[in-house]
Amino acid sequence: MTGPAHHRPGRDRRIETVLPAAGRPRPAEVRTVAVVGGGIAGLAAATALAERGVRVILHEARPVLGGRLAGWPTTLADGTTVTMSRGFHAFFRQYYNLRGLLRRVDPELRCLTPLPDYPLRHADGIRDGFARVPRTPPWSALGFVARSPAFRRGDLLRMNPVAALDLVDVRVPRIYRRLDAVSATAFLDAIGFPAAARHLAFEVFSRSFFCDPGELSAAEMALMFHIYFLGSAEGLLFDVVREPFPVALWEPLAARLAGMGAELRVSSPVDEVVPCGRGAVEVRCRGERRRYDGVVLALDTAGLRRLAGGSPGLGTAEWRARIAALRTAPPFLVSRLWLDRPPGPDAPGFLGTSGFGRLDNVSVLDRWEGEAARWAAAHGGSVVELHAYAVPPDADRDLEQRRLVAELHRVHPHTRRARIVDARHEWHDDCPLFPVGGYEARPTVRTPHPAVVLAGDLVRADLPVALMERAATTGFLAANTLLERWGVRGHTLWTVPRRGRTAALRALHRLADHRRGLRG
Ligand SMILES: Cc1cc2nc3c(=O)[nH]c(=O)nc-3n(C[C@H](O)[C@H](O)[C@H](O)COP(=O)(O)OP(=O)(O)OC[C@H]3O[C@@H](n4cnc5c(N)ncnc54)[C@H](O)[C@@H]3O)c2cc1C
């Protein structure tokens, strides 16, 4: 259901509200829910349920909360203890539901700090950025194209504007019916998108989904384009955390959850979920069995596959086959380097890169994160982080790590003279892959069992959300689904507009569809 915005959580006047079903403020009888997974999705679901008086027990397999945004202590060669994590995450302004979660413990969002630009740099020398681009569409896109050296007049004339119209009125799930059968690369080829602009604007985007654009569904890429660029007036600038994730985000949220009576169990992997009669579900964890009125499975792809594989009574055969077929994107590498000198005055806090081997971005953490700034000040050095997404699974990891450092030297030449005081390299492959043609088979919040619901960035939400915001939004939606079952009012959610925002462009799109014989 949509309705008018009550308190707009962003600057966009066209933010849409997603209202929950009506119901009583709390359950009529005691309800207990197990939330499995302590990442953004699990914490959002646990918060939403606990706020309605549901008794929540959250199981997290790892020793710390936060999932892919977890942080843990590590002692460096110089004896300092610092927080390691997978580091740089962009908190975009259109992440309304994630921000809503964080605002519960930090109403002014002081835990976040804005970065002044989203600069992009290609090895050819082309540089782009979004700081001076207007935030409201269509001026954002027109402004970017007009300012960007990656778009030349001849390139623009060679583009196929009719094919590009699919980008101006993105609706979910319609966009998947249109474009899920095509790869992002094939779609950009059909539009005739200029090669230089593709490297900068689109590769940076699609590689942020951790996979090669040749494998990524064009629908998923079009959705991103809508969320971050053409469909939202929040713009492409973003915030980052002021302190490491545990201090900035998870400890305050965990304390609030505990204050509402939730039990947070870390190092507590769930082995099996067994639906019982009359809507109850049994959860088995390390030999202990416990019955609940509902279960939220807020897992990463491999965790969900493993749990569903070990729970033969869960869901239907068809649902289980869909879960078993879910894939993860190729491995990615996060290298963090503690250097004995600064990377040079021109190094921005974050830089998206293209054409520098496998290097996708470079962050200078001490420019924005307090703990890194304190280390850098005390040592006269800097803390630099390098991300490489979609690394081939059989790559030689030592070699990749060394190559990434060599690319840093090309990007920020001052670092050539820096001594690496210490380094940490994180290799993982737990981000979901959204392959061509995968949409239909993706699991939704509802499962065949009404008391078992799913949440996480792998889960299909028929709203324009992605990545961290998809995790938070599906967490709230999973909680709302259980609450609705018990006649309890759920939580109001927010989203960027669910269709293209310019009436004239929508009309053009309809006309082009009509000519192409396409419907809805
Ligand atoms: C390097 C990197 C950079 C990123 N940058 C961005 C960015 O800039 N912007 C953005 O929006 N997103 C970004 N993302 C994506 C973002 O991190 C994810 O979308 C988000 O964290 C997913 O949250 P989640 O709760 O769905 O899953 P997860 O965080 O993976 O949480 C799932 C949890 O389930 C637990 N679990 C698994 N099995 C079990 C079990 N059997 N029992 C109990 N617990 C279990 C896992 O340990 C894990 O903690 C980035 C990701 C990475 C890795």
Side-chain angles (χ1 to χ4, degrees):
M1 272 199 292
T2 31
H6 306 297
H7 315 284
R8 263 193 306 131
R11 81 184 271 277
D12 191 349
R13 292 179 180 284
R14 306 220 185 138
I15 290 172
E16 287 188 27
T17 315
V18 184
L19 294 176
R24 61 177 84 88
R26 294 169 89 81
E29 55 191 283
V30 175
R31 297 291 184 185
T32 57
V33 171
V35 174
V36 188
I40 291 174
L43 289 164
T47 299
L49 289 163
E51 283 176 352
R52 294 291 185 265
V54 173
R55 174 115 180 72
V56 173
I57 295 190
L58 183 144
H59 290 267
E60 166 53 51
R62 298 177 65 204
V64 282
L65 294 175
R68 271 166 268 164
L69 280 84
W72 56 94
T74 186
T75 302
L76 302 179
D78 67 357
T80 342
T81 298
V82 293
T83 312
M84 184 54 195
S85 67
R86 301 175 190 195
F88 174 82
H89 271 69
F91 290 71
F92 287 92
R93 314 264 159 86
Q94 45 275 70
Y95 286 2
Y96 305 124
N97 300 315
L98 176 61
R99 286 167 173 260
L101 176 67
L102 303 179
R103 277 205 175 92
R104 283 156 155 94
V105 285
D106 180 1
E108 305 298 326
L109 291 182
R110 291 187 203 283
C111 60
L112 301 179
T113 181
L115 286 191
D117 194 6
Y118 183 162
L120 305 168
R121 191 169 139 199
H122 192 274
D124 296 353
I126 294 182
R127 287 163 193 256
D128 248 315
F130 295 92
R132 279 185 293 224
V133 171
R135 287 166 74 183
T136 305
W139 313 116
S140 50
L142 294 174
F144 181 69
V145 168
R147 301 190 69 92
S148 170
F151 285 89
R152 288 178 303 251
R153 189 128 67 110
D155 293 335
L156 290 174
L157 292 174
R158 277 191 291 277
M159 280 178 70
N160 175 353
V162 175
L165 279 175
D166 274 327
L167 292 174
V168 302
D169 187 13
V170 171
R171 300 179 195 204
V172 185
R174 183 183 75 174
I175 190 68
Y176 290 94
R177 291 199 294 273
R178 293 290 182 90
L179 293 182
D180 198 41
V182 186
S183 74
T185 303
F187 176 66
L188 294 176
D189 285 346
I191 296 183
F193 207 79
R198 183 182 302 205
H199 279 305
L200 278 167
F202 279 94
E203 248 180 50
V204 169
F205 266 140
S206 70
R207 289 180 66 83
S208 306
F209 268 57
F210 304 95
C211 75
D212 195 273
E215 269 211 87
L216 179 73
S217 153
E220 201 68 26
M221 190 195 64
L223 185 75
M224 270 189 280
F225 198 64
H226 175 77
I227 296 170
Y228 298 107
F229 208 42
L230 268 187
S232 166
E234 305 297 343
L236 252 172
L237 298 186
F238 53 78
D239 301 313
V240 287
V241 280
R242 274 186 205 277
E243 288 295 337
F245 300 130
V247 178
L249 314 177
W250 313 132
E251 287 164 16
L253 271 178
R256 181 167 181 270
L257 272 166
M260 291 189 291
E263 217 182 290
L264 306 176
R265 298 188 182 174
V266 292
S267 304
S268 179
V270 166
D271 310 308
E272 189 178 357
V273 174
V274 188
C276 316
R278 284 182 293 150
V281 191
E282 191 177 275
V283 167
R284 300 183 183 172
C285 174
R286 300 198 153 156
E288 189 197 281
R289 297 162 173 224
R290 200 164 160 169
R291 273 193 173 216
Y292 293 90
D293 299 306
V295 173
V296 180
L297 300 180
L299 305 163
D300 56 295
T301 309
L304 180 61
R305 262 193 332 239
R306 235 183 348 259
L307 188 56
S311 308
L314 190 61
T316 58
E318 191 263 346
W319 183 83
R320 295 160 53 73
R322 274 163 53 188
I323 300 293
L326 290 175
R327 293 169 58 198
T328 48
F332 57 87
L333 166 62
V334 174
S335 291
R336 195 176 297 175
L337 312 174
W338 285 264
L339 304 178
D340 73 345
R341 65 188 65 202
D346 300 334
F350 172 82
L351 178 69
T353 55
S354 183
F356 291 93
R358 294 202 204 285
L359 183 66
D360 283 302
N361 57 63
V362 181
S363 314
V364 181
L365 256 64
D366 49 277
R367 300 262 152 96
W368 40 270
E369 195 214 72
E371 186 187 274
R374 291 189 288 277
W375 187 91
H379 296 78
S382 61
V383 185
V384 175
E385 190 176 279
L386 314 172
H387 286 203
Y389 308 132
V391 181
D394 55 358
D396 175 334
R397 293 192 168 188
D398 277 343
L399 185 63
E400 293 296 332
Q401 290 167 196
R402 275 184 273 125
R403 281 189 178 154
L404 220 53
V405 176
E407 295 300 343
L408 167 69
H409 295 160
R410 286 178 67 205
V411 174
H412 295 320
H414 275 78
T415 58
R416 286 188 186 141
R417 284 179 290 132
R419 183 175 68 84
I420 299 178
V421 177
D422 210 342
R424 294 289 180 277
H425 304 279
E426 287 289 319
W427 284 94
H428 297 276
D429 61 353
D430 51 5
C431 287
L433 179 71
F434 302 112
V436 175
Y439 181 73
E440 274 307 316
R442 260 198 246 169
T444 52
V445 168
R446 289 179 192 272
T447 73
H449 195 285
V452 179
V453 287
L454 298 188
D457 65 351
L458 65 93
V459 175
R460 190 167 119 184
D462 284 344
L463 291 174
V465 287
L467 296 162
M468 289 196 282
E469 178 67 354
R470 190 180 279 155
T473 304
T474 54
F476 282 110
L477 288 172
N480 282 2
T481 306
L482 290 178
L483 292 170
E484 186 179 345
R485 198 170 130 71
W486 303 320
V488 179
R489 182 171 43 84
H491 297 261
T492 299
L493 296 180
W494 307 87
T495 166
V496 302
R498 293 196 253 189
R499 60 178 189 171
R501 49 194 302 136
T502 314
L505 289 174
R506 287 201 304 271
L508 258 181
H509 189 219
R510 271 198 306 277
L511 185 68
D513 275 2
H514 183 70
R515 295 229 164 134
R516 289 186 288 180
L518 287 174
R519 315 179 91 230

